[in-house]
Amino acid sequence: MTTPLKILIIFGTRPEAIKLFPVVKALAADPRFMARVCVSAQHRGMLDQVLEIAGIMPDHDLDLMRPDQSLDALTAALLVGIGKVMDLEKPDRVMVQGDTATAMAGAIAAYYRKLPVDHVEAGLRSGNIYHPWPEEVNRKVIGSIAALHFAPTETSAAALRRENVAASGIHVTGNTVIDALHWVSARIGAEPGLAAGLADLEARFADKRIIGVTSHRRENFGGGLEGIAEAVRQIAARPDVAIIFPVHPNPNVRAVMDSALAGLANVAMIEPLDYPHFARLLSIAEIMLTDSGGVQEEAPALGKPVLVMRETTERPEGVEAGTARLVGTDPARIVTEIFNLLDDKAAYEAMARAHNPFGDGHSAQRIVEILSHEIGQQA
Ligand code: UD1
Ligand code: UDP
């Protein structure tokens, strides 16, 4: 029997864990591969929530989260920590996902060792290096290093081709977030108790129309977050509405939301939800209001209108499909858009059509097959 290909999969935040657990599981189930997992724990609690539900036990945990960490300190610690793990593991290939500091440092550390890098969710581009910041540049750095680029859509593949990435390395796979969403929905179907923790809120807001809110983007810190908080305050003034807002633990987010929204009767500011509970929130919400990347992909898949509190998006597919709309962070604009969807049934229904430009739920398996083809080429 041939030696399995050793792949070191590196991640550190909640969204990376959600989007990589389907790939880790698919690689672990395939004897052609040896999957080794290194978590930076750039996030701690939110990462652990995903590891637990997905049943992933990391082989290395760098435990790097520090309160309100600077990008400089985080990136420096990531490079040193990940480099040491690479020297110990001596993998054949390295896999990273998306655009976080962990993903970028993982790609650079691999490059310093001349290890091939495989990039999941490659080719997302907004065209503006400050929106999202610093993710747009993180993605470009990874894109300039990667050997295999797993682009979720034809749009992202085209963006890579425009940057002269060799076509032979670009593969359109769909986004693994849809695999994760299918997986968690099936788990909840089999075990409804997994998402039952919202029952009290659901009972409290039984006669209300639910709006789900998330926000964490660095480029929205300061004025942007204040605009978002003000919008939520004004929306909550409507008696027919309730807002469920799992607040990101980043202190820059918490401070603004706590001071603007504490004590409002129909705003529930809660701790980050684990993935089954967030999937439940997506299913009970009439509208999602977010600056998140992943939520822009999940909401269209479920036919939930999603208003995106950003100026640009590197995920234009949801906007093109009509399920997502960019609304920025100006409170007047956000409130107008939300009220329009609440009050105009035709406007709501025009957006609320399930559309799934981001994948069919089989992206992880596709990635594994492409990797195995790659081994065949090298053998
Ligand atoms: C990071 C990513 C961003 C991604 C986001 C997903 C970078 C530069 N940013 O942003 O691309 O969209 O994660 O959520 O890689 N914290 C906790 N507990 C946690 C997680 C975070 O307390 O479980 C707090 C800590 O004080 C931490 C701070 O949040 O220092 C910021 O975390 P960090 O990973 O630097 O940035 P995010 O804003 O979460
Ligand atoms: N999510 C979650 N619990 C929450 C909020 C979000 O599980 O309380 C999930 C959500 O379903 C999506 C991912 O986290 O898959 C998005 O993460 P985040 O918004 O932190 O990061 P981004 O996608 O913007 O990088």
Side-chain angles (χ1 to χ4, degrees), residues 13-16 18-19 43 46 49-50 99-100 135 177 181 214 216-217 246-248 271-279 281-282 290-295 297-298 310 315:
T13 65
R14 168 175 65 193
E16 293 167 279
I18 289 174
K19 291 172 170 178
H43 285 175
M46 298 200 304
Q49 282 181 326
V50 185
D99 52 21
T100 67
E135 289 81 3
V177 77
L181 196 56
T214 78
H216 71 82
R217 297 239 54 86
V247 183
H248 195 289
E271 291 300 313
L273 293 167
D274 68 16
Y275 198 40
H277 284 95
F278 196 77
L281 175 58
L282 284 167
T290 189
D291 61 12
S292 159
V295 180
E297 296 153 345
E298 293 161 332
R310 294 167 58 167
R315 295 167 167 91

Side-chain angles (χ1 to χ4, degrees), residues 13-16 42-47 65-71 74 99-102 133-135 138 216-218 221 248-253 293:
T13 65
R14 168 175 65 193
E16 293 167 279
Q42 176 183 332
H43 285 175
R44 186 72 273 173
M46 298 200 304
L47 172 75
M65 193 187 85
R66 300 290 175 270
D68 199 14
Q69 55 206 334
S70 75
L71 291 175
L74 172 62
D99 52 21
T100 67
T102 295
W133 174 76
E135 289 81 3
N138 286 349
H216 71 82
R217 297 239 54 86
R218 277 176 194 257
F221 287 1
H248 195 289
N250 192 319
N252 299 286
V253 179

Side-chain angles (χ1 to χ4, degrees), residues 229-351:
E230 175 58 21
V232 170
R233 217 182 49 73
Q234 290 182 26
I235 296 162
R238 274 178 72 128
D240 60 335
V241 156
I243 286 155
I244 300 184
F245 187 169
V247 183
H248 195 289
N250 192 319
N252 299 286
V253 179
R254 286 256 152 130
V256 174
M257 297 308 160
D258 283 348
S259 73
L261 302 174
L264 293 180
N266 48 354
V267 178
M269 285 198 293
I270 56 177
E271 291 300 313
L273 293 167
D274 68 16
Y275 198 40
H277 284 95
F278 196 77
R280 174 74 189 160
L281 175 58
L282 284 167
S283 76
I284 62 172
E286 208 168 307
I287 304 167
M288 292 301 298
L289 181 62
T290 189
D291 61 12
S292 159
V295 180
Q296 285 179 65
E297 296 153 345
E298 293 161 332
L302 299 170
K304 295 287 170 162
V306 55
L307 298 184
V308 181
M309 299 182 291
R310 294 167 58 167
E311 305 302 331
T312 59
T313 181
E314 62 289 350
R315 295 167 167 91
E317 297 89 343
V319 177
E320 283 154 14
T323 326
R325 183 170 300 153
L326 288 173
V327 298
T329 55
D330 172 38
R333 169 90 198 274
I334 296 171
V335 172
T336 303
E337 294 278 1
I338 288 272
F339 283 12
N340 182 42
L341 287 179
L342 289 171
D343 296 331
D344 182 341
K345 201 158 183 281
Y348 184 85
E349 273 164 13
M351 280 188 88

Side-chain angles (χ1 to χ4, degrees), residues 59-84:
D59 301 291
H60 302 272
D61 187 332
L62 302 175
D63 200 20
L64 287 181
M65 193 187 85
R66 300 290 175 270
D68 199 14
Q69 55 206 334
S70 75
L71 291 175
D72 302 353
L74 172 62
T75 305
L78 284 164
L79 267 176
V80 175
I82 292 171
K84 280 185 188 152

